[in-house]
Amino acid sequence: MNWRKVCAHDLYCGLLRPRYLWAMLIFMVPCIMNQIDLNFLGYRATWMDYMMGCFEGVNRVDPKTFQFPTMWLLIMGAGLFMNLDYLLGDLSLSGQQIIVRSGNRRGWYFSKCIWNLCSTALYLLLGSLGVLVFTILMGGVPSVANSPTVTEVFFPELYNTGFLIPVGEGLFMTLLLPYLHLAALSMVQMLLCLFCRPVFSFLLCMSQLMVAVYIYSPWVPGNGAMVQRNDMLNYFMGVSAEKSAIVAVAIILLCVVIGCLRFKKTDILAAVE
Amino acid sequence: MMRMLRTELKKALCNRMLLLSLLIGCILSLLHVWQIQRDVSPLVQDMKNMLNYDPNYPVSFDGVSLFIHWMAHSFLELGSSIFYFIWPLLAAIPYGCSYYQDRKSGLFNQIVSRCSAKQYYFSKFMAAFVSGGIVVSIPVLLNLLVNALFLPAIKPNPGLPLYLILNGQAFSALYYTHPWLHGLLWCGLDFLWGGIAAGLCFLFGSRPRHPVVILTTPFLLMMLSDSVIMLTRHGLGIREQFSPLQMAASCAPSPFSTVTLLIAMGSLLVLGISVGYWQVVKHELA
C-alpha cells in the first residue's frame, strides 16, 4: 500500500471531525473581550485587529503590569488538544492493520505528520473564519489591514503602534507564525506520544507555552506566536520574526525525522493505551 | 465501605503515576527554589557583608523574607508559574482515569456485583481526591521548607509596600500575624484544590474513547472557566479574581477574598461529586 493512500485516509478520517468547530467559538472569546473595550471607546475594528487580539500574548513579564495571557494559552492549548489523541487512537483502531498490510511504518508515521500539519492549519483557518463571522456580526470591517487607532488601543504597552501594518507582514504575524509555532509544538507532542503517555506529552507542551511566556527569545518555541513580541510590531524590543519562523520549521523537520526513526522500532501493540 | 476505601487508597497511593506526578511537581518546586536562590542570595550576602563591616548599618531583611518569595506567593518565577498552571493536570494523572480503566477492563462489573455502586463511587472519589491532593500539596510544602533553609523567616510588616497580599485578600490577617500558619494553611488549601481537580475526572464517566480526554478534563475545564471568568471580569469591571486556576496560589495577579475562595472550592467540589455520582451510580449502571 502506497503511503499516499494512507495519507489520504488520514486526511479524510482525521480532518472530518466535529471537534474542529470548537475552534470558531474559542477564537471568539478573546474577540468578545476586545469588543468590550472597543464598544467603550466607540471604535470599529477590522478582521486583522481581532486576529492580532487573539494572538496578543504578553510582553515582558513585569510585576507591575503582568497579565496572565489566558486567551493566548487557551487558543494555543486548544490547538494542541485537538491533535492529542489521533495518533494513538488510530493505532488502536485500524492503524495496526494498515501498518501490517502496507509494511511501511515510516510511511504511516509520515502520513500522520502531514495530517498533523493539516489539522493545525484547519484549526487556525476555522478560528480565523470564526473571527471573520464575529467581525461581520459586530459591524466591523472584514479587511486584512489593521486599523492604527485600534492597534494602539489593543497594545498600550508597546511604544508607537499606531501605524498601518503592510498586509503581508500582518498575515505573517497573525496567521503564518502562529501556525508554524502551533504546528511545531503539535509535532513535538505527537513525537513525545511515542516515548511517554499522551497526557505527559500534553503536559510538557503546555509547560513549554508557559516557558515561552517567561523566556523572551526567538529561539524558544511559542515566542513567535505572540504578536506583542513580534519585531514587526514591537520594533525596539521584539523577537525576530524570521528567526522564530526558522526555529519552528527546524523543529517540525526534526520531529518528522526523529519520529520516523523512532516509530520503526516502536512496539505498536504496547503503544496503544 | 471501609475495606473498599482502604483498597482504593492503597491502589491510588502505591501507584507509579503518583510518583511520576509528584516528581514533576517537586522538580518545578525546586526550580523555583533555584531561581529564588540565584536572585536573592547575592542580596542577602551583601546585607551580611554590610553588617559585618558596620553592625549598626541600617539593613532590613524584609525584602528577602521567606514569606515573600516562597512558591505560593510569587507568580513571577518560571517554576511556580508552570506549577500553578498545570496543577489540575498533575492532580488528575495519578488516579483520574482509574474508573475508566475499571469500566473498560470489566472490573467495575465484578465490583458492583459484590457491593453497591454508591460505595464503589465514594471510595473511588476519595482515593482520587487524596492522590490529587498529595500531588499538589507536597511540592508546595517542600518549597516552603527548602526555601526556609536559605531565606530569613521575617514576619511580614504591613507598613512596607513589599507584599502582594493586600487587605481583604483571602486569609490576609493570618498572613500578617501568623505567616507560618498561613503557609501551612495554604498547603492544606492546595491539597483541597488538587483533590477537587482529581474529582472532576468523573465528569464524563467512561464515555470518552481515550483516557487522555478524561485526564485533561479538569485542566481544560479550568482553562475554559479562566477565560470565561476573565471575560466576565473585564466586561463587568470586577477587580476580584474568581478563577479556580489562579486561586490555587495565595498571591494571584488579581486579589480574591476568603469567601470567594471557599465558594469556588465548594461549587467545584459539589459539581465533581454530583455529576460524577450521576455518571457512575445513576446513569451508566442503567
Side-chain angles (χ1 to χ4, degrees):
Chain A
M1 195 189 286
N2 194 321
W3 74 266
R4 286 189 195 87
K5 280 188 181 174
V6 181
C7 188
H9 168 265
D10 276 331
L11 293 181
Y12 181 72
C13 298
L15 296 182
L16 293 178
R17 295 189 296 173
R19 67 169 66 173
Y20 288 105
L21 295 174
W22 281 96
M24 296 175 83
L25 285 177
I26 288 166
F27 272 70
M28 280 187 192
V29 178
C31 293
I32 296 170
M33 205 168 105
N34 289 327
Q35 186 60 37
I36 293 166
D37 290 337
L38 294 176
N39 282 348
F40 183 71
L41 295 166
Y43 292 148
R44 278 175 78 204
T46 65
W47 174 84
M48 179 57 77
D49 292 323
Y50 287 119
M51 282 303 286
M52 283 166 74
C54 287
F55 291 104
E56 181 184 14
V58 68
N59 200 7
R60 283 184 190 277
V61 175
D62 182 339
K64 285 173 191 156
T65 56
F66 182 67
Q67 277 281 329
F68 195 70
T70 304
M71 298 300 171
W72 182 78
L73 287 168
L74 177 77
I75 288 176
M76 298 294 279
L80 290 174
F81 181 72
M82 297 270 175
N83 298 342
L84 180 59
D85 60 343
Y86 183 69
L87 180 120
L88 290 179
D90 190 49
L91 205 54
S92 65
L93 294 172
S94 56
Q96 291 176 3
Q97 299 290 329
I98 293 171
I99 289 170
V100 170
R101 280 157 209 256
S102 67
N104 186 1
R105 279 183 172 225
R106 278 183 189 171
W108 189 86
Y109 187 79
F110 189 62
S111 76
K112 289 288 173 290
C113 293
I114 290 175
W115 163 82
N116 200 330
L117 296 176
C118 294
S119 170
T120 309
L122 183 65
Y123 170 73
L124 285 180
L125 281 177
L126 284 173
S128 317
L129 193 67
V131 174
L132 182 67
V133 171
F134 184 86
T135 311
I136 293 166
L137 287 177
M138 290 296 129
V141 186
S143 160
V144 287
N146 71 313
S147 158
T149 44
V150 174
T151 309
E152 271 192 324
V153 171
F154 282 1
F155 304 100
E157 281 179 40
L158 303 185
Y159 177 72
N160 194 14
T161 50
F163 58 89
L164 201 63
I165 300 167
V167 172
E169 282 188 9
L171 290 174
F172 184 67
M173 191 163 57
T174 56
L175 275 181
L176 192 63
L177 267 180
Y179 168 71
L180 287 175
H181 281 266
L182 191 55
L185 284 173
S186 195
M187 291 291 284
V188 171
Q189 181 179 257
M190 196 169 79
L191 176 69
L192 287 173
C193 284
L194 300 179
F195 293 91
C196 58
R197 292 191 182 203
V199 69
F200 286 110
S201 65
F202 182 66
L203 189 143
L204 286 170
C205 289
M206 290 307 290
S207 303
Q208 172 52 41
L209 289 178
M210 209 60 196
V211 170
V213 168
Y214 277 81
I215 300 178
Y216 203 106
S217 162
W219 309 112
V220 177
N223 268 283
M226 286 186 249
V227 169
Q228 282 209 55
R229 291 191 182 177
N230 199 307
D231 63 352
M232 291 172 185
L233 188 72
N234 190 349
Y235 272 131
F236 302 107
M237 293 160 78
V239 298
S240 161
E242 289 81 12
K243 275 184 196 167
S244 61
I246 291 167
V247 167
V249 172
I251 290 172
I252 292 171
L253 293 177
L254 211 61
C255 285
V256 174
V257 174
I258 296 173
C260 286
L261 293 174
R262 168 74 190 180
F263 193 67
K264 210 180 167 191
K265 292 176 184 171
T266 301
D267 179 1
I268 55 172
L269 295 176
V272 178
E273 211 171 344
Chain B
M1 174 74 183
M2 286 311 289
R3 200 171 149 199
M4 177 167 275
L5 182 62
R6 229 178 4 249
T7 312
E8 289 294 342
L9 279 173
K10 197 177 170 188
K11 275 166 69 183
L13 300 180
C14 303
N15 183 340
R16 205 160 49 98
M17 298 305 275
L18 181 117
L19 290 177
L20 210 54
S21 311
L22 208 52
L23 185 71
I24 294 171
C26 290
I27 288 171
L28 292 172
S29 169
L30 294 176
L31 173 67
H32 175 267
V33 173
W34 175 74
Q35 284 181 304
I36 290 293
Q37 281 310 301
R38 188 195 58 188
D39 299 341
V40 175
S41 282
L43 295 175
V44 176
Q45 197 54 47
D46 284 351
M47 288 175 188
K48 280 181 183 169
N49 290 343
M50 282 178 185
L51 284 177
N52 286 339
Y53 182 71
D54 177 6
N56 296 324
Y57 195 86
V59 168
S60 164
F61 284 92
D62 286 297
V64 291
S65 169
L66 164 72
F67 303 111
I68 293 181
H69 292 291
W70 79 288
M71 200 169 176
H73 286 278
S74 55
F75 57 88
L76 291 169
E77 274 76 32
L78 186 62
S80 55
S81 301
I82 296 179
F83 180 82
Y84 279 113
F85 178 54
I86 60 165
W87 66 267
L89 265 177
L90 288 179
I93 287 172
Y95 212 55
C97 67
S98 93
Y99 166 66
Y100 174 89
Q101 285 166 343
D102 282 1
R103 284 295 294 236
K104 296 295 167 191
S105 65
L107 188 66
F108 175 78
N109 299 333
Q110 296 289 329
I111 295 172
V112 291
S113 63
R114 288 167 174 79
C115 71
S116 75
K118 202 190 284 183
Q119 279 182 3
Y120 169 80
Y121 170 66
F122 283 111
S123 309
K124 203 60 131 182
F125 189 91
M126 279 304 292
F129 190 94
V130 171
S131 63
I134 285 173
V135 163
V136 178
S137 62
I138 294 232
V140 181
L141 183 64
L142 176 79
N143 187 276
L144 177 67
L145 298 178
V146 176
N147 266 325
L149 294 174
F150 305 104
L151 300 174
I154 310 281
K155 197 171 168 181
N157 178 358
L160 296 172
L162 292 169
Y163 308 98
L164 293 168
I165 294 188
L166 305 173
N167 185 27
Q169 179 129 359
F171 304 107
S172 58
L174 194 66
Y175 177 69
Y176 287 104
T177 51
H178 300 93
W180 271 108
L181 201 59
H182 180 269
L184 294 175
L185 173 77
W186 215 269
C187 293
L189 286 172
D190 278 346
F191 179 87
L192 294 179
W193 274 123
I196 289 166
L200 292 176
C201 291
F202 290 90
L203 283 185
F204 294 113
S206 60
R207 282 159 208 273
R209 202 149 29 115
H210 303 290
V212 68
V213 178
I214 291 173
L215 293 179
T216 48
T217 300
F219 177 73
L220 294 176
L221 201 73
M222 291 210 183
M223 269 298 287
L224 205 64
S225 67
D226 193 42
S227 310
V228 173
I229 286 167
M230 191 180 175
L231 200 68
T232 315
R233 284 177 59 221
H234 192 71
L236 302 177
I238 302 168
R239 200 171 156 263
E240 192 167 347
Q241 180 62 265
F242 50 100
S243 161
L245 190 66
Q246 299 198 31
M247 282 160 82
S250 71
C251 190
S254 308
F256 53 89
S257 68
T258 311
V259 177
T260 317
L261 176 73
L262 295 178
I263 289 174
M265 275 185 157
S267 50
L268 279 179
L269 185 64
V270 169
L271 178 79
I273 292 177
S274 55
V275 179
Y277 183 83
W278 176 72
Q279 288 280 8
V280 178
V281 182
K282 292 285 179 194
H283 190 71
E284 295 197 359
L285 201 64

